[in-house]
């Protein structure tokens, strides 16, 4: 999956970064669907129709698969509020959702992508093949709801986990969906590995952050 986040241009709101549980699947999927509604890589793989509905179904399935595989989901929530402003999905080393682990969701994916399902499946295969072979943390998605984009929500979510990843002396990997996001993630120590072949309109760009010394 790719990342959807905007560079901070306003002061960051007060936030708590909290781990999500399976019970949070719906609000997490809602945040991701809103944030990715204009993402060129993800939307470029969808057929014509209700983008928000398709993305809600997609992210609901991805979040469930992430939890089932032992991954981690984190939310950025203003103190005293329930609705998250941002979400991050991480696969810990050894918990990546492989194509075989996605098989139970084939019917859902076929419903989402319809005639584009072969293209979406091929793109997922190419994306997984491009990942580093060494153990690493994989940032599957980082997203901020549109009204809060540019306020530092994504940065807070990212920094919170990178501190722990550095303590583990582990590497991290993600796919950026635009060249602008490549520049953004370079600020956090990620480096481009180049575009990844895909069957959509816009290729994602693989980015690697080596383990801390």
């Amino acid at each position: 999956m790719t990342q959807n986040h905007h560079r901070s241009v306003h002061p960051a709101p007060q936030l708590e970064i909290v781990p999500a549980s399976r019970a949070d699947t719906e609000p997490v999927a809602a945040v991701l669907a809103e944030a990715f509604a204009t993402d060129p890589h993800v939307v470029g793989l969808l057929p014509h129709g209700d983008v928000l509905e398709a993305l809600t179904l997609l992210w609901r399935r991805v979040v469930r698969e992430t939890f089932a595989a032992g991954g981690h989901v984190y939310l950025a929530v203003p103190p005293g509020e329930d609705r998250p402003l941002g979400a991050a999905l991480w696969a810990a080393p050894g918990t990546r959702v492989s194509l075989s682990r996605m098989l139970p969701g084939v019917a859902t994916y076929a419903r989402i992508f319809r005639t584009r399902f072969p293209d979406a499946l091929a793109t997922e295969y190419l994306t997984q093949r491009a990942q580093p072979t060494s153990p690493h943390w994989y940032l599957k998605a980082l997203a901020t709801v549109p009204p809060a984009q540019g306020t530092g929500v994504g940065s807070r979510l990212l920094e919170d986990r990178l501190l722990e990843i550095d303590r583990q002396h582990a590497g991290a990997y993600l796919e950026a969906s635009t060249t602008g996001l490549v520049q953004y993630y370079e600020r956090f120590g990620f480096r481009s590995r180049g575009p990844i072949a895909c069957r959509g309109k816009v290729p994602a760009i693989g980015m690697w952050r080596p383990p801390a010394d």
Side-chain angles (χ1 to χ4, degrees), residues 1-152:
M1 291 297 173
T2 57
Q3 314 310 313
N4 184 287
H5 179 66
H6 291 253
R7 180 173 298 183
S8 300
V9 294
H10 303 294
Q14 287 190 326
L15 292 171
E16 295 177 351
I17 307 301
V18 297
S21 69
R22 293 172 189 255
D24 298 307
T25 295
E26 291 303 322
V28 174
V31 167
L32 292 163
E34 281 188 67
F36 280 86
T38 58
D39 183 87
H41 176 75
V42 176
V43 174
L45 284 166
L46 293 174
H48 294 296
D50 188 331
V51 169
L52 194 60
E53 179 183 2
L55 289 176
T56 300
L57 289 172
L58 173 64
W59 287 113
R60 186 183 295 148
R61 183 67 210 174
V62 171
V63 171
R64 287 173 177 166
E65 289 174 348
T66 299
F67 280 125
H72 304 256
V73 179
Y74 297 92
L75 299 174
V77 185
E81 297 186 22
D82 295 326
R83 189 175 187 273
L85 297 181
L89 276 60
W90 286 92
T95 67
R96 189 188 67 173
V97 179
S98 62
L99 286 174
S100 61
R101 284 177 165 173
M102 297 172 69
L103 284 176
V106 164
T108 300
Y109 288 120
R111 176 185 171 192
I112 294 165
F113 292 103
R114 303 200 302 274
T115 58
R116 299 298 308 280
F117 180 60
D119 292 329
L121 184 63
T123 297
E124 180 64 23
Y125 168 75
L126 293 168
T127 299
Q128 292 199 14
R129 191 177 68 174
Q131 289 196 15
T133 56
S134 58
H136 61 275
W137 284 82
Y138 172 42
L139 181 57
K140 299 175 69 173
L142 177 68
T144 305
V145 294
Q149 289 177 358
T151 65

Side-chain angles (χ1 to χ4, degrees), residues 120-212:
L121 184 63
T123 297
E124 180 64 23
Y125 168 75
L126 293 168
T127 299
Q128 292 199 14
R129 191 177 68 174
Q131 289 196 15
T133 56
S134 58
H136 61 275
W137 284 82
Y138 172 42
L139 181 57
K140 299 175 69 173
L142 177 68
T144 305
V145 294
Q149 289 177 358
T151 65
V153 174
S155 296
R156 285 288 307 280
L157 280 163
L158 188 56
E159 290 167 346
D160 178 78
R161 299 315 303 159
L162 289 179
L163 285 172
E164 176 58 30
I165 290 171
D166 284 346
R167 281 193 284 267
Q168 298 176 13
H169 301 284
Y173 178 78
L174 59 83
E175 292 106 14
S177 58
T178 68
T179 54
L181 286 175
V182 169
Q183 296 174 354
Y184 171 79
Y185 286 112
E186 285 177 344
R187 294 165 47 194
F188 298 91
F190 288 89
R191 294 293 177 263
S192 172
R193 288 162 52 98
I196 301 167
C198 76
R199 298 288 181 85
K201 296 178 181 178
V202 179
I205 301 159
M207 300 195 71
W208 170 250
R209 186 176 188 268

